[in-house]
Amino acid sequence: MSERSLVLLKPDALQRGLAGRVISRLEDRGLQIVGLKLMQMDMPTAQRHYAEHVEKPFFAGLASFMMSRPLIAMAVQGKNAVEVVRKTMGSTNPQNAEPGTIRGDMAVDIGRNLIHGSDSVESAERELAIFFAEDELLDYQREVEPWVTES
């Protein structure tokens, strides 16, 4: 079933020049980019995106990091997109991430783990609405799709 997921390439991914490699890995898995923007996160966006963490002691540091430099917000679409993104990213803590995953191959520190992906279809819907207006998400046919997934 085709679904959508939010992906954030965090400031460390851009500062390290890894954005293209990370995006390529997601596209290699058959995911289709349906929205993409370079942006600077502000506090209201951080509070909405990390709403469940606002009262936790680590929120201030997390928000400060996410607002420190530009990031890339991306909407991807594909069969089981949320699960595909999660498996491609690897464990939140790069020390536990499998080789072959983005975090397992490119990240070292849990606080600088390069990428965020929605953890459920419901979270994806909520998060996508934070970063994208409905008219910023495109629905288009890729001619390669029958070669990526069975219908």
Side-chain angles (χ1 to χ4, degrees):
M1 169 174 129
S2 187
E3 60 191 30
R4 289 180 173 174
S5 181
L6 175 74
V7 173
L8 297 178
L9 302 186
K10 297 178 181 181
D12 54 326
L14 274 71
Q15 290 296 306
R16 293 179 54 199
L18 298 174
R21 289 173 58 192
V22 171
I23 291 169
S24 290
R25 290 222 184 170
L26 295 168
E27 287 186 305
D28 286 348
R29 294 295 311 271
L31 295 168
Q32 176 184 14
I33 298 170
V34 295
L36 182 78
K37 63 171 77 169
L38 179 68
M39 63 178 290
Q40 185 83 34
M41 186 180 279
D42 57 19
M43 184 56 82
T45 304
Q47 289 171 330
R48 285 182 63 206
H49 180 64
Y50 294 111
E52 69 276 11
H53 300 308
V54 169
E55 299 301 321
K56 295 181 180 168
F58 62 83
F59 175 74
L62 173 61
S64 177
F65 167 64
M66 292 298 288
M67 296 184 306
S68 68
R69 300 287 186 279
L71 58 80
I72 291 175
M74 185 165 60
V76 296
Q77 179 173 290
K79 185 175 182 179
N80 302 313
V82 171
E83 181 181 355
V84 171
V85 169
R86 302 288 299 171
K87 288 186 181 291
T88 305
M89 289 188 322
S91 178
T92 302
N93 184 343
Q95 299 299 313
N96 301 329
E98 294 291 323
T101 64
I102 291 165
R103 290 174 175 153
D105 291 349
M106 295 184 239
V108 177
D109 186 85
I110 192 168
R112 301 291 183 264
N113 65 10
L114 305 175
I115 186 170
H116 164 85
S118 302
D119 64 8
S120 68
V121 174
E122 297 75 27
S123 291
E125 290 174 9
R126 181 185 73 79
E127 292 175 347
L128 286 166
I130 294 169
F131 290 91
F132 293 95
E134 191 59 40
D135 66 352
E136 293 179 312
L137 299 176
L138 303 179
D139 196 13
Y140 62 98
Q141 182 65 38
R142 290 190 308 178
E143 302 304 319
V144 71
E145 215 53 49
W147 302 102
V148 177
T149 58
E150 287 184 284
S151 37

